Amino acid sequence: MAVLLIAEVQGGELAVDATAKALTAAAQMGEVTILCASEGCAGAAEAAAKLEGVSKVLCADDAAYGHDLAEPLADLIVSLAGDYEHIVAPSTAASKNVMPRVAALLDAMVISEVTAVVDANTFERPIYAGNAIQTVKSGDAKKVATIRTSTFDAAGEGGSASVETIGAAANPGLSEWVEDKVAASDRPELTSAGVVVSGGRGVGSEEDFKLIEGLADKLGAAVGASRAAVDSGYAPNDWQVGQTGKVVAPDLYVAIGISGAIQHLAGMKDSKIIVAINKDEEAPIFQVADYGLVADLFEAVPELTGKL
Amino acid sequence: MKVLVPVKRVIDYNVKVRVKSDGSGVDLANVKMSMNPFDEIAVEEAIRLKEAGKAEEVVAVSIGVKQSQETLRTALAMGADRAILIVAADDVHTDIEPLAVAKILKAVIDEEAPGLVLCGKQAIDNDMNATGQMLAALTGWSQGTFASELDIEGDSATVTREVDGGLQTIKIKMPAIVSVDLRLNEPRYASLPNIMKAKKKPLDEKTAADYGVDTAPRLEIVKTSEPETRKAGEIVGSVDELVAKLKEAGAL
Ligand SMILES: Cc1cc2nc3c(=O)[nH]c(=O)nc-3n(C[C@H](O)[C@H](O)[C@H](O)COP(=O)(O)OP(=O)(O)OC[C@H]3O[C@@H](n4cnc5c(N)ncnc54)[C@H](O)[C@@H]3O)c2cc1C
Ligand SMILES: Nc1ncnc2c1ncn2[C@@H]1O[C@H](COP(=O)(O)O)[C@@H](O)[C@H]1O
C-alpha cells in the first residue's frame, strides 16, 4: 500500500524531527513517498530523501506553497492522491489547517492526532483531552490522517531516495499571505525539546516569566506556558501546552505555578519525568508529578536555577 | 451580511469523563453539558460584527440530539437572532462526524446564503479540529483557521492565526469560513432579560434527512479505553532534595 507523507517544511527547510516522527507512523501503513511543497524547497527535499525508509521524494517548489496557505496546498495534494491509499502528515498547525480540507475534497473523514497505528486501517487517537483513547477503523477508500508526533520515535537517517520535481497545481487564489510574527529564539523547539520548563498564572507577570526563562536556559530547555499564562499576556501563544495548544513529551517537564487542569495535562502527561513547583499542596498537578515541591516559586525557582 | 455560527453541545469542560468499563464509550448520562467553549467565542465574534454594523443577522445552527436546543437557546440569549436545530441522533452518545456535519452545514449554506461562517477551532469532546476546514472544502470557500484577530473589509477579511511559530496574518476572500481560537475575544454572559427574550426567538427544527445527508460514520469505533494513568510521585522537602532526586533519576 502506498502512503503519501506531507513533510513539514518551515521557511524552505525540512522540520526534520516532526517529519521523521510522522514517517515512523507512516511506514507502518505502507511504502512511503514524501511530498515537500514550499518555496525553494529543494534543500528540504534532499534532507527528506535521507530519511530511513523513504522510497521517493516529490518536490513542488512554488511560491503558492510558501506560507502554508490551505487552499492551494490542498489542491496539490488532491491532484496527487490517485496514487496513494494513505495521506498523512505530522499534526502541526500547518497540517491541521490543510489535512481536513484534503480529506473532505476526497470525501473521506480525517483521522486527527493518531497516537498508534494498529493496522493500515485502524488507528488510536485521544479524545476528551486525552481522558479516553479511541480505536477507530476507517472505512474510507483513502485514509487521511495527522500523526501526533510526541508518541512516535523519529525515523533515522541513512536513506537515499530519489527526488522528483513536480509542477504546481492551479492556485484557486482565495487567500494571500500578509505577514508572520515569529519570535526568533536560540532555545530548542517546544515539541522536540528534551526538557521543557513551563510557567502558569502563578508566575504573575510577563516580567516574572524571566524566572521561568532563566531556569529553562540553565537546563537547555524549551519554554512552555499554560493557557492562563498566555491569555494573561505573560507568554506568547506558541508556548501554550495543552489540549488546544502543543502536545509535548520531553524527558523532563517542569511545571511552575500551574494548577494542572485537565486541558493542561492533555499536553504534557506523557512526559517521562514531571516536576511540579506550586505553593498549593492540593494542586492537581501533584497527582501526576514524579517530584513535587510545595513552595513559593519566587523563592524556589531562583534557588533551583542557582544550584544547577 | 448574514453570519452562520455552528455550535456544538458537548460535555462541560470542567467535567472529567469516565470511560465505560466495557470499552463501549464514555459515560455521558447525567453529565453536565454546555456549548463548546470555542463556539461561545464564535457566537461572541458574530454578535460583535453585528454590533459594529458589519453583519445584519446572526444564525446559530446545531446538529445532534434534540437537547442541542438548549445550546441554541444559549446562543440566542447571547444575542444570535435565530437558530436552526438539525436533529441527527437520538442517543446522546452518538457523535456526528465532522464530514457529515460539514455536509449538513453546506446544505444550510445553500439555503441561507451567509457571507461568513464562524465556527470553533475544535470540539472539546472529539478533539477533531476539522469541521471548518471540511466545510471550506465542500463550499470551495477560503478558510481562516485558528483566528485570534478578524477584520472584515468589504469582500475580503484579514485574519491573524495562531500557528506553531507564533502568529500569521493572511488575507482571505469573502465568503469565508473562519475557525476561532481562544484569544479572539472573551464571550459575554447572557443576562437574565436576554435569556427570557431568547425563549421567544425563532428556533427551526429539521432533520439530517431533510438535507439528504447520510450521517453514517466513516470511522467505526472499535473500542474506547482508559489512557495509561500516572501515579503521584513523591513530595520533596527542599530544592536541594529536588536536585538530588533529579540527578539520581538521570534527569540532570
Ligand atoms: C476550551 C478550553 C481549552 C483549553 N486549553 C488549554 C490548553 O491547551 N492548555 C492549558 O494549559 N489550559 C487550557 N485551558 C485552560 C485550563 O482549563 C486552565 O484554566 C488553565 O490550564 C489554568 O492555568 P494555570 O494552571 O496557569 O492557572 P491556575 O489554575 O490559576 O493555577 C495557578 C497555580 O499557580 C499556583 N501559584 C500561584 N502563586 C504561586 C507562587 N507564588 N508560587 C507557586 N505557585 C503559585 C497556584 O497555587 C495555582 O495552582 C483550556 C480551557 C478551555 C475551556
Ligand atoms: N454537531 C455539530 N453541530 C454544530 N456545530 C458543530 C458540530 N460539530 C462541529 N461543529 C463546529 O465545528 C467546530 C469544530 O469541531 P470539530 O471539527 O468536531 O473539532 C466546532 O467548534 C463547531 O463550531
Side-chain angles (χ1 to χ4, degrees):
Chain A
M1 274 175 282
V3 183
L4 182 66
L5 167 62
I6 317 304
E8 174 76 6
V9 184
Q10 287 159 356
E13 280 188 39
L14 184 71
V16 178
D17 187 74
T19 306
K21 285 174 171 169
L23 172 57
T24 298
Q28 293 171 36
M29 304 171 201
E31 190 177 278
V32 181
T33 297
I34 291 187
L35 170 67
C36 288
S38 185
E39 188 174 18
C41 65
E46 289 300 329
K50 292 201 182 84
L51 294 174
E52 189 84 57
V54 177
S55 63
K56 192 161 76 175
V57 175
L58 304 178
C59 175
D61 185 345
D62 195 281
Y65 311 127
H67 298 287
D68 301 325
L69 296 174
E71 304 90 350
L73 184 55
D75 286 0
L76 173 71
I77 295 169
V78 169
S79 76
L80 301 169
D83 296 335
Y84 306 93
E85 200 164 305
H86 293 80
I87 303 171
V88 304
S91 63
T92 57
S95 86
K96 289 177 191 169
N97 185 33
V98 74
M99 295 297 272
R101 188 171 179 112
V102 168
L105 290 172
L106 296 170
D107 194 32
M109 179 54 209
V110 70
I111 311 155
S112 305
E113 306 269 350
V114 168
T115 50
V117 180
V118 178
D119 63 40
N121 304 322
T122 314
F123 310 92
E124 286 181 11
R125 58 180 303 271
I127 53 174
Y128 293 97
N131 284 302
I133 309 293
Q134 209 170 50
T135 304
V136 294
K137 186 170 178 178
S138 170
D140 285 322
K142 297 209 187 283
K143 282 92 191 159
V144 180
T146 61
I147 309 296
R148 178 169 284 191
T149 51
S150 62
T151 55
F152 292 91
D153 292 330
E157 299 202 359
S160 57
S162 60
V163 176
E164 186 184 316
T165 305
I166 59 168
N171 185 347
L174 292 167
S175 57
E176 57 186 276
W177 171 79
V178 178
E179 67 170 340
D180 289 330
K181 281 208 184 105
V182 177
S185 158
D186 296 333
R187 296 198 185 99
E189 201 261 318
L190 186 52
T191 55
S192 58
V195 182
V196 174
V197 179
S198 289
R201 199 198 315 261
V203 178
S205 69
E206 186 180 4
E207 185 76 323
D208 285 326
F209 227 80
K210 296 266 181 303
L211 283 176
I212 306 298
E213 298 179 50
L215 176 58
D217 290 341
K218 203 71 182 261
L219 289 166
V223 186
S226 70
R227 174 191 171 182
V230 177
D231 284 3
S232 310
Y234 309 165
N237 67 281
D238 50 303
W239 289 2
Q240 183 180 315
V241 170
Q243 178 187 18
T244 56
K246 287 182 177 144
V247 179
V248 302
D251 295 328
L252 176 61
Y253 187 90
V254 186
I256 301 169
I258 292 178
S259 59
I262 49 174
Q263 292 85 6
H264 188 78
L265 301 186
M268 44 65 79
K269 70 180 162 57
D270 292 329
S271 304
K272 221 168 264 162
I273 294 179
I274 297 174
V275 170
I277 301 177
N278 195 306
K279 69 176 180 189
D280 173 11
E281 60 181 336
E282 303 282 315
I285 190 77
F286 288 124
Q287 288 160 25
V288 299
D290 299 281
Y291 305 106
L293 179 63
V294 181
D296 187 327
L297 71 90
F298 295 103
E299 285 161 23
V301 175
E303 186 185 344
L304 178 59
T305 308
K307 284 183 171 154
L308 290 171
Chain B
M1 181 179 73
K2 190 191 281 186
V3 183
L4 196 71
V5 189
V7 296
K8 187 177 185 185
R9 177 182 187 265
V10 298
I11 190 166
D12 187 83
Y13 80 97
N14 283 308
V15 178
K16 187 170 189 288
V17 296
R18 276 190 313 115
V19 176
K20 288 195 245 174
S21 53
D22 64 358
S24 66
V26 300
D27 194 0
L28 293 178
N30 307 315
V31 166
K32 184 177 182 216
M33 305 294 280
S34 299
M35 188 190 299
N36 184 41
F38 286 97
D39 304 354
E40 290 181 8
I41 298 172
V43 172
E44 175 67 35
E45 195 66 15
I47 298 166
R48 289 188 191 183
L49 284 172
K50 190 176 167 192
E51 287 166 350
K54 294 196 171 181
E56 280 92 49
E57 192 184 29
V58 176
V59 181
V61 46
S62 193
I63 297 149
V65 290
K66 198 143 181 156
Q67 293 90 317
S68 305
Q69 262 189 12
E70 297 157 19
T71 316
L72 289 168
R73 289 287 171 206
T74 306
L76 294 170
M78 286 175 75
D81 297 294
R82 63 190 170 87
I84 307 171
L85 168 66
I86 296 148
V87 179
D90 35 50
D91 179 350
V92 292
H93 294 91
T94 308
D95 191 41
I96 311 297
E97 288 175 349
L99 181 62
V101 170
K103 285 181 179 177
I104 293 171
L105 291 174
K106 163 74 167 65
V108 173
I109 287 175
D110 290 343
E111 250 173 41
E112 294 280 342
L116 174 69
V117 177
L118 276 171
C119 65
K121 138 170 144 172
Q122 176 175 340
I124 60 160
D125 51 1
N126 64 26
D127 282 333
M128 280 289 183
N129 188 341
T131 305
Q133 300 88 314
M134 291 190 134
L135 182 58
L138 299 180
T139 50
W141 291 4
S142 65
Q143 66 184 60
T145 55
F146 326 148
S148 65
E149 261 177 75
L150 172 65
D151 188 15
I152 296 169
E153 281 302 332
D155 59 2
S156 72
T158 304
V159 183
T160 298
R161 310 177 52 237
E162 295 204 3
V163 295
D164 286 343
L167 296 169
Q168 179 193 50
T169 303
I170 60 173
K171 200 169 161 186
I172 59 178
K173 273 198 182 138
M174 303 290 281
I177 314 284
V178 172
S179 85
V180 307
D181 216 319
L182 297 169
R183 257 91 38 194
L184 182 62
N185 62 45
E186 240 180 88
R188 71 193 66 187
Y189 291 102
S191 66
L192 198 56
N194 284 344
I195 292 172
M196 299 312 287
K197 261 195 260 165
K199 292 188 175 150
K200 296 202 193 78
K201 288 185 179 175
L203 193 161
D204 273 354
E205 205 175 302
K206 306 249 169 116
T207 66
D210 291 340
Y211 296 100
V213 174
D214 176 9
T215 58
R218 303 295 187 84
L219 304 179
E220 179 205 335
I221 300 167
V222 181
K223 66 167 187 214
T224 306
S225 48
E226 290 262 13
E228 274 178 46
T229 48
R230 287 186 87 100
K231 46 180 176 21
E234 51 186 310
I235 296 290
V236 296
S238 66
V239 169
D240 286 323
E241 195 185 338
L242 176 61
V243 172
K245 292 279 181 191
L246 289 174
K247 282 194 174 141
E248 204 178 299
L252 289 181

